[in-house]
Amino acid sequence: ALDKFRQPIFVLISGSILLALAFGIRHSFGIFLIPVSEKNQWGREVFAMGLAFQNLMWGVWQPFSGRVSDKIGAGFVVLIGSFLYSIGLFLMGTLSTKTGFIIASGVLGIGISGVTFPIFGAISRSVSPEKRSVSIGIAMSCASLGQFIMLPASLVLLKNFGPTLAFGILSVLSLMMVVLAIPMFEKT
């Protein structure tokens, strides 16, 4: 039943949308610095530390995500990464302790490791070698487009709903990645 969704075009389309969401949401965090810091009465260093920990966790977990993705396919890794990404976003918006925010950012970082680079591997494996460069280029262009779209969209959410609800809405939006993980399940 999943075979029709494993066609290269579906892998490319869903992978491109996944990357647009993952990178787009992540790159909008800068606009949350002041509102989250003010809401929780923190200095800006707490938010900065959370994002630094997020980047650290992304980097630490990336080799494991890649290894599992290469061993059993990207679908499982993207699925787990999607859930962690969504949970991390939700917790970043709701936890009001400094330690809680930093840990939530780390959870999101682990999720990011599952919904970014393993997708490039799935796309690469789904297409013939002569179409690989074009396919990866399309996916990366969509990731950049996601950043271009999600920054103003996140700003609108932030201005209209405040940081807690904006993070909640982004968390729900990121759950779309769970459905988009379906074509990433490869035959092993």
Side-chain angles (χ1 to χ4, degrees), residues 123-137:
I123 292 169
S124 292
R125 290 186 293 269
S126 74
V127 297
S128 61
E130 58 272 2
K131 294 180 181 177
R132 201 163 285 153
S133 294
V134 170
S135 297
I136 294 299

Side-chain angles (χ1 to χ4, degrees), residues 15-37:
S16 296
I17 296 169
L18 273 160
L19 291 167
L21 284 170
F23 283 116
I25 292 171
R26 186 195 172 278
H27 282 91
S28 69
F29 291 157
I31 62 172
F32 286 89
L33 172 88
I34 293 172
V36 168
S37 298

